PDB file of all heavy atoms in Angstrom:
ATOM      1  N   ILE Z   9      54.601  56.703 -45.152  1.00  0.00           N
ATOM      2  CA  ILE Z   9      53.377  56.389 -44.485  1.00  0.00           C
ATOM      3  C   ILE Z   9      53.044  54.885 -44.692  1.00  0.00           C
ATOM      4  O   ILE Z   9      52.710  54.164 -43.749  1.00  0.00           O
ATOM      5  CB  ILE Z   9      52.205  57.251 -45.012  1.00  0.00           C
ATOM      6  CG1 ILE Z   9      52.353  58.653 -44.504  1.00  0.00           C
ATOM      7  CG2 ILE Z   9      50.844  56.692 -44.562  1.00  0.00           C
ATOM      8  CD1 ILE Z   9      51.404  59.652 -45.120  1.00  0.00           C
ATOM      9  N   ALA Z  13      52.662  52.071 -41.791  1.00  0.00           N
ATOM     10  CA  ALA Z  13      51.492  51.252 -41.689  1.00  0.00           C
ATOM     11  C   ALA Z  13      51.830  49.790 -41.677  1.00  0.00           C
ATOM     12  O   ALA Z  13      51.306  49.032 -40.823  1.00  0.00           O
ATOM     13  CB  ALA Z  13      50.496  51.547 -42.844  1.00  0.00           C
ATOM     14  N   ALA Z  44      38.673  19.596 -24.334  1.00  0.00           N
ATOM     15  CA  ALA Z  44      39.322  20.001 -25.560  1.00  0.00           C
ATOM     16  C   ALA Z  44      39.960  21.362 -25.347  1.00  0.00           C
ATOM     17  O   ALA Z  44      39.314  22.280 -24.870  1.00  0.00           O
ATOM     18  CB  ALA Z  44      38.347  20.059 -26.709  1.00  0.00           C
ATOM     19  N   ARG Z  58      36.194  31.178 -43.536  1.00  0.00           N
ATOM     20  CA  ARG Z  58      35.116  32.106 -43.795  1.00  0.00           C
ATOM     21  C   ARG Z  58      35.551  33.272 -44.639  1.00  0.00           C
ATOM     22  O   ARG Z  58      34.742  34.157 -44.950  1.00  0.00           O
ATOM     23  CB  ARG Z  58      34.618  32.664 -42.466  1.00  0.00           C
ATOM     24  CG  ARG Z  58      33.729  31.717 -41.688  1.00  0.00           C
ATOM     25  CD  ARG Z  58      33.435  32.415 -40.405  1.00  0.00           C
ATOM     26  NE  ARG Z  58      32.444  31.655 -39.645  1.00  0.00           N
ATOM     27  CZ  ARG Z  58      31.985  32.057 -38.491  1.00  0.00           C
ATOM     28  NH1 ARG Z  58      32.431  33.215 -37.983  1.00  0.00           N
ATOM     29  NH2 ARG Z  58      31.143  31.355 -37.844  1.00  0.00           N
ATOM     30  N   ALA Z  60      38.124  35.539 -43.944  1.00  0.00           N
ATOM     31  CA  ALA Z  60      38.836  36.590 -43.270  1.00  0.00           C
ATOM     32  C   ALA Z  60      40.336  36.356 -43.543  1.00  0.00           C
ATOM     33  O   ALA Z  60      40.933  35.538 -42.928  1.00  0.00           O
ATOM     34  CB  ALA Z  60      38.554  36.601 -41.772  1.00  0.00           C
ATOM     35  N   ASP Z  70      40.760  43.385 -34.932  1.00  0.00           N
ATOM     36  CA  ASP Z  70      39.564  42.851 -34.260  1.00  0.00           C
ATOM     37  C   ASP Z  70      39.942  41.847 -33.191  1.00  0.00           C
ATOM     38  O   ASP Z  70      39.532  41.867 -32.073  1.00  0.00           O
ATOM     39  CB  ASP Z  70      38.656  42.195 -35.288  1.00  0.00           C
ATOM     40  CG  ASP Z  70      37.713  43.230 -35.916  1.00  0.00           C
ATOM     41  OD1 ASP Z  70      37.756  44.353 -35.426  1.00  0.00           O
ATOM     42  OD2 ASP Z  70      36.978  42.864 -36.805  1.00  0.00           O
ATOM     43  N   GLY Z  90      21.401   5.997 -23.208  1.00  0.00           N
ATOM     44  CA  GLY Z  90      20.936   5.044 -24.176  1.00  0.00           C
ATOM     45  C   GLY Z  90      21.553   5.305 -25.575  1.00  0.00           C
ATOM     46  O   GLY Z  90      22.715   5.632 -25.717  1.00  0.00           O
ATOM     47  N   SER Z 131      37.641  15.183 -32.401  1.00  0.00           N
ATOM     48  CA  SER Z 131      37.836  15.256 -33.800  1.00  0.00           C
ATOM     49  C   SER Z 131      37.391  16.604 -34.381  1.00  0.00           C
ATOM     50  O   SER Z 131      37.650  16.957 -35.504  1.00  0.00           O
ATOM     51  CB  SER Z 131      37.133  14.111 -34.547  1.00  0.00           C
ATOM     52  OG  SER Z 131      35.777  14.373 -34.671  1.00  0.00           O
ATOM     53  N   PHE Z 188      19.557  23.295 -33.832  1.00  0.00           N
ATOM     54  CA  PHE Z 188      19.563  24.742 -33.914  1.00  0.00           C
ATOM     55  C   PHE Z 188      19.588  25.190 -35.428  1.00  0.00           C
ATOM     56  O   PHE Z 188      20.464  24.749 -36.152  1.00  0.00           O
ATOM     57  CB  PHE Z 188      20.851  25.303 -33.249  1.00  0.00           C
ATOM     58  CG  PHE Z 188      20.804  25.122 -31.757  1.00  0.00           C
ATOM     59  CD1 PHE Z 188      21.389  24.013 -31.183  1.00  0.00           C
ATOM     60  CD2 PHE Z 188      20.205  26.054 -30.935  1.00  0.00           C
ATOM     61  CE1 PHE Z 188      21.362  23.845 -29.781  1.00  0.00           C
ATOM     62  CE2 PHE Z 188      20.165  25.889 -29.528  1.00  0.00           C
ATOM     63  CZ  PHE Z 188      20.768  24.746 -28.984  1.00  0.00           C
ATOM     64  N   ASP Z 194      21.403  33.889 -30.468  1.00  0.00           N
ATOM     65  CA  ASP Z 194      20.105  34.541 -30.514  1.00  0.00           C
ATOM     66  C   ASP Z 194      19.169  34.158 -29.346  1.00  0.00           C
ATOM     67  O   ASP Z 194      18.517  34.992 -28.784  1.00  0.00           O
ATOM     68  CB  ASP Z 194      19.436  34.294 -31.878  1.00  0.00           C
ATOM     69  CG  ASP Z 194      20.239  34.900 -33.023  1.00  0.00           C
ATOM     70  OD1 ASP Z 194      21.010  35.844 -32.761  1.00  0.00           O
ATOM     71  OD2 ASP Z 194      20.128  34.369 -34.127  1.00  0.00           O
ATOM     72  N   TRP Z 221      -2.213  18.741 -23.907  1.00  0.00           N
ATOM     73  CA  TRP Z 221      -2.213  17.568 -23.013  1.00  0.00           C
ATOM     74  C   TRP Z 221      -2.564  18.000 -21.597  1.00  0.00           C
ATOM     75  O   TRP Z 221      -3.455  17.409 -20.993  1.00  0.00           O
ATOM     76  CB  TRP Z 221      -0.849  16.856 -23.082  1.00  0.00           C
ATOM     77  CG  TRP Z 221      -0.886  15.508 -22.428  1.00  0.00           C
ATOM     78  CD1 TRP Z 221      -1.189  14.349 -23.090  1.00  0.00           C
ATOM     79  CD2 TRP Z 221      -0.754  15.172 -21.061  1.00  0.00           C
ATOM     80  NE1 TRP Z 221      -1.263  13.305 -22.198  1.00  0.00           N
ATOM     81  CE2 TRP Z 221      -0.968  13.777 -20.952  1.00  0.00           C
ATOM     82  CE3 TRP Z 221      -0.488  15.913 -19.903  1.00  0.00           C
ATOM     83  CZ2 TRP Z 221      -0.921  13.111 -19.739  1.00  0.00           C
ATOM     84  CZ3 TRP Z 221      -0.447  15.224 -18.707  1.00  0.00           C
ATOM     85  CH2 TRP Z 221      -0.641  13.864 -18.597  1.00  0.00           C
ATOM     86  N   ARG Z 227      -3.174  15.668 -13.832  1.00  0.00           N
ATOM     87  CA  ARG Z 227      -3.747  15.542 -12.475  1.00  0.00           C
ATOM     88  C   ARG Z 227      -2.839  16.265 -11.502  1.00  0.00           C
ATOM     89  O   ARG Z 227      -2.598  15.826 -10.355  1.00  0.00           O
ATOM     90  CB  ARG Z 227      -3.860  14.063 -12.118  1.00  0.00           C
ATOM     91  CG  ARG Z 227      -4.943  13.345 -12.996  1.00  0.00           C
ATOM     92  CD  ARG Z 227      -5.052  11.886 -12.663  1.00  0.00           C
ATOM     93  NE  ARG Z 227      -3.802  11.166 -12.976  1.00  0.00           N
ATOM     94  CZ  ARG Z 227      -3.233  10.178 -12.254  1.00  0.00           C
ATOM     95  NH1 ARG Z 227      -3.854   9.830 -11.123  1.00  0.00           N
ATOM     96  NH2 ARG Z 227      -2.106   9.618 -12.593  1.00  0.00           N
ATOM     97  N   VAL Z 236       4.117  24.220 -19.974  1.00  0.00           N
ATOM     98  CA  VAL Z 236       5.337  24.594 -20.728  1.00  0.00           C
ATOM     99  C   VAL Z 236       6.107  23.322 -21.058  1.00  0.00           C
ATOM    100  O   VAL Z 236       6.005  22.321 -20.380  1.00  0.00           O
ATOM    101  CB  VAL Z 236       6.247  25.557 -19.977  1.00  0.00           C
ATOM    102  CG1 VAL Z 236       5.690  26.953 -20.021  1.00  0.00           C
ATOM    103  CG2 VAL Z 236       6.475  25.135 -18.526  1.00  0.00           C
ATOM    104  N   PRO Z 270      10.489  16.989  -1.863  1.00  0.00           N
ATOM    105  CA  PRO Z 270       9.088  17.045  -1.376  1.00  0.00           C
ATOM    106  C   PRO Z 270       8.103  17.073  -2.579  1.00  0.00           C
ATOM    107  O   PRO Z 270       7.043  16.433  -2.470  1.00  0.00           O
ATOM    108  CB  PRO Z 270       9.031  18.330  -0.596  1.00  0.00           C
ATOM    109  CG  PRO Z 270      10.407  18.792  -0.349  1.00  0.00           C
ATOM    110  CD  PRO Z 270      11.320  18.053  -1.278  1.00  0.00           C
ATOM    111  N   LYS Z 274       5.225  14.287  -3.178  1.00  0.00           N
ATOM    112  CA  LYS Z 274       3.769  14.584  -3.179  1.00  0.00           C
ATOM    113  C   LYS Z 274       3.117  14.190  -4.481  1.00  0.00           C
ATOM    114  O   LYS Z 274       1.987  13.756  -4.502  1.00  0.00           O
ATOM    115  CB  LYS Z 274       3.619  16.115  -2.983  1.00  0.00           C
ATOM    116  CG  LYS Z 274       2.199  16.584  -3.131  1.00  0.00           C
ATOM    117  CD  LYS Z 274       1.893  17.912  -2.437  1.00  0.00           C
ATOM    118  CE  LYS Z 274       0.424  18.272  -2.608  1.00  0.00           C
ATOM    119  NZ  LYS Z 274       0.095  19.544  -2.005  1.00  0.00           N
ATOM    120  N   GLN Z 304       8.395  29.111 -32.087  1.00  0.00           N
ATOM    121  CA  GLN Z 304       9.409  28.819 -33.108  1.00  0.00           C
ATOM    122  C   GLN Z 304      10.777  28.536 -32.467  1.00  0.00           C
ATOM    123  O   GLN Z 304      11.662  28.049 -33.148  1.00  0.00           O
ATOM    124  CB  GLN Z 304       9.507  30.014 -34.084  1.00  0.00           C
ATOM    125  CG  GLN Z 304      10.252  31.185 -33.610  1.00  0.00           C
ATOM    126  CD  GLN Z 304       9.518  32.476 -33.774  1.00  0.00           C
ATOM    127  OE1 GLN Z 304       8.595  32.838 -33.085  1.00  0.00           O
ATOM    128  NE2 GLN Z 304       9.935  33.263 -34.803  1.00  0.00           N
ATOM    129  N   ALA Z 343       9.257  15.248 -42.668  1.00  0.00           N
ATOM    130  CA  ALA Z 343       9.844  16.580 -42.793  1.00  0.00           C
ATOM    131  C   ALA Z 343      10.851  16.797 -41.671  1.00  0.00           C
ATOM    132  O   ALA Z 343      11.959  17.340 -41.910  1.00  0.00           O
ATOM    133  CB  ALA Z 343       8.736  17.668 -42.668  1.00  0.00           C
ATOM    134  N   ASP Z 358      34.553  19.266 -44.900  1.00  0.00           N
ATOM    135  CA  ASP Z 358      34.447  19.882 -46.209  1.00  0.00           C
ATOM    136  C   ASP Z 358      33.672  21.198 -46.114  1.00  0.00           C
ATOM    137  O   ASP Z 358      33.569  21.922 -47.071  1.00  0.00           O
ATOM    138  CB  ASP Z 358      33.791  18.934 -47.237  1.00  0.00           C
ATOM    139  CG  ASP Z 358      32.849  18.006 -46.631  1.00  0.00           C
ATOM    140  OD1 ASP Z 358      33.070  17.569 -45.482  1.00  0.00           O
ATOM    141  OD2 ASP Z 358      31.849  17.610 -47.306  1.00  0.00           O
ATOM    142  N   LEU Z 368      18.172  19.115 -49.265  1.00  0.00           N
ATOM    143  CA  LEU Z 368      17.153  19.137 -48.245  1.00  0.00           C
ATOM    144  C   LEU Z 368      15.810  19.605 -48.756  1.00  0.00           C
ATOM    145  O   LEU Z 368      14.784  18.983 -48.474  1.00  0.00           O
ATOM    146  CB  LEU Z 368      17.612  20.058 -47.103  1.00  0.00           C
ATOM    147  CG  LEU Z 368      16.594  20.312 -45.996  1.00  0.00           C
ATOM    148  CD1 LEU Z 368      16.134  18.997 -45.363  1.00  0.00           C
ATOM    149  CD2 LEU Z 368      17.131  21.249 -44.899  1.00  0.00           C
ATOM    150  N   SER Z 403      32.785  39.695 -43.632  1.00  0.00           N
ATOM    151  CA  SER Z 403      32.833  41.037 -44.174  1.00  0.00           C
ATOM    152  C   SER Z 403      32.165  42.023 -43.202  1.00  0.00           C
ATOM    153  O   SER Z 403      32.569  43.167 -43.099  1.00  0.00           O
ATOM    154  CB  SER Z 403      32.231  41.076 -45.545  1.00  0.00           C
ATOM    155  OG  SER Z 403      30.896  40.516 -45.478  1.00  0.00           O
TER     156      SER Z 403
END
Side-chain angles (χ1 to χ4, degrees):
I9 288 172
R58 281 177 175 181
D70 273 355
S131 78
F188 292 94
D194 296 336
W221 194 90
R227 292 178 296 142
V236 283
K274 174 159 182 183
Q304 78 228 78
D358 30 327
L368 173 58
S403 52

